[in-house]
Amino acid sequence: MKKYFSLVLFAHSIFALPFAIIGFFLAIHTTAYEFDGLKLALMLACMVFARNAAMAFNRYLDRDIDAINPRTAMRDIPAGKISPSQALTFTIVNCVLFVGTTWFINPICFYLSPVALAVILGYSYMKRITPLCHLVLGLGLGLAPIGAYLVVTGVFHIVPIFYSLAVLFWVGGFDIIYALQDEEFDREHQLSSIPAWLGKRGALRVSEIFHVLSAIFVILPLFFIPLGGYYVAGVIFYCGLLIYQHRIVSPTDLSKVNRAFMTTNGIASVVFACFFLLDMVF
């Protein structure tokens, strides 16, 4: 179990999970639906299975690239901790569990489950196709709030879509920052990324634009549903950390990339979700 947790970087669930919780409780707060503990558990299970499938498949597909990149050579498959066949089997099992779990939620979640899998698994191919691969990753994680809203209501609504777009541009932006580390490697091996395409300085400008768009999309719900001071405080905190990660990373200094990627963004999502929930309660 420990090996598989390492394979899928379970701690990285902290990025999308808080926004899934936002989508779930947004539906409870703004509609006539009541809290259902079983649906919450099923939603969380779907998050785990989807995350496991996406990460394991990414590691499986990128195993040869990871093996020749000094930064990733010690990942589980190149290091021999898990075999490619084990990673692929783990992916398939989690895909089946994900689809099976949606069957017990509602018809629309079940019917859309292959679409969700196509997005989150398809991301792994994107670095071979387009520099916009960062946005495909953002789209995959951005399914969390709208998916959680669908778990409760079975219908779409504009506000969870705002949160999905916020996640799309937030993740796309910080993934560009993370990819700065591999600019030269990606270019040398003909892999697509914004840093390999535009260079460090251009990539950081694109990341800044994406994060401005993310900030706009977390502000927009204020104009569509009743939200109060706790939510505004959460928005300020979230936007502050978006700014902070751009202050600690520059084209000439990538020493704090991991702090910007993992620590700052993990705190941003968790604290923002906490402020959202406080606003729902008070």
Side-chain angles (χ1 to χ4, degrees), residues 83-104:
S83 70
S85 61
Q86 286 176 318
L88 185 58
T89 300
F90 187 70
T91 300
I92 294 169
V93 168
N94 277 277
C95 287
V96 171
L97 290 171
F98 173 75
V99 174
T101 303
T102 63
W103 170 262
F104 295 99

Side-chain angles (χ1 to χ4, degrees), residues 31 33 39 57 66 69 92 105-106 122 139 145 150 154 160 187 223 259-260 263-264 271:
T31 70
Y33 290 91
K39 282 192 173 181
F57 187 65
D66 287 343
N69 185 339
I92 294 169
I105 297 174
N106 57 44
L139 177 62
L150 287 173
R187 193 176 288 131
F223 302 97
R259 184 194 298 179
T263 307
T264 303
V271 174

Side-chain angles (χ1 to χ4, degrees), residues 21-259:
I21 291 172
I22 286 174
F24 187 89
F25 285 97
L26 172 70
I28 300 297
H29 182 71
T30 59
T31 70
Y33 290 91
E34 296 182 356
F35 175 80
D36 186 330
L38 176 59
K39 282 192 173 181
L40 177 61
L42 291 171
M43 183 273 286
L44 294 174
C46 283
M47 289 291 297
V48 171
F49 297 143
R51 169 74 188 172
N52 287 350
M55 283 300 302
F57 187 65
N58 181 260
R59 293 296 186 257
Y60 168 79
L61 202 65
D62 284 357
R63 63 194 185 279
D64 293 333
I65 297 171
D66 287 343
I68 59 176
N69 185 339
R71 187 181 64 79
T72 59
M74 290 308 296
R75 284 179 175 171
D76 296 85
I77 297 178
K81 298 175 184 176
I82 287 182
S83 70
S85 61
Q86 286 176 318
L88 185 58
T89 300
F90 187 70
T91 300
I92 294 169
V93 168
N94 277 277
C95 287
V96 171
L97 290 171
F98 173 75
V99 174
T101 303
T102 63
W103 170 262
F104 295 99
I105 297 174
N106 57 44
I108 192 168
C109 287
F110 176 69
Y111 296 144
L112 291 177
S113 60
V115 178
L117 287 177
V119 173
I120 63 176
L121 299 181
Y123 157 71
S124 296
Y125 291 99
M126 291 300 106
K127 204 169 185 180
R128 297 160 174 81
I129 300 172
T130 173
L132 300 180
C133 54
H134 314 283
L135 285 178
V136 181
L137 176 62
L139 177 62
L141 272 67
L143 296 176
I146 185 62
Y149 189 90
L150 287 173
V151 167
V152 177
T153 67
V155 296
F156 290 93
H157 190 273
I158 188 63
V159 174
I161 291 175
F162 287 152
Y163 289 120
S164 289
L165 291 170
V167 173
L168 186 157
F169 288 111
W170 168 55
V171 172
F174 75 63
D175 190 58
I176 290 173
I177 294 174
Y178 190 68
L180 292 171
Q181 302 172 101
D182 293 330
E183 177 196 358
E184 294 178 5
F185 179 87
D186 289 348
R187 193 176 288 131
E188 180 182 346
H189 292 85
Q190 298 182 324
L191 296 171
S192 298
S193 69
I194 294 291
W197 180 33
L198 300 177
K200 291 182 176 65
R201 194 172 301 277
L204 283 170
R205 297 293 83 78
V206 173
S207 178
E208 289 171 358
I209 292 169
F210 284 178
H211 282 163
V212 168
L213 291 172
S214 180
I216 290 171
F217 283 116
V218 297
I219 291 169
L220 282 176
L222 285 163
F223 302 97
F224 288 82
I225 58 174
L227 293 164
Y230 285 113
Y231 185 81
V232 172
V235 168
I236 293 171
F237 185 87
Y238 176 83
C239 293
L241 287 186
L242 292 182
I243 295 169
Y244 172 73
Q245 64 188 285
H246 288 279
R247 296 293 299 271
I248 64 174
V249 175
S250 72
T252 58
D253 183 6
L254 303 181
S255 63
K256 297 182 177 67
V257 163
N258 283 328
R259 184 194 298 179

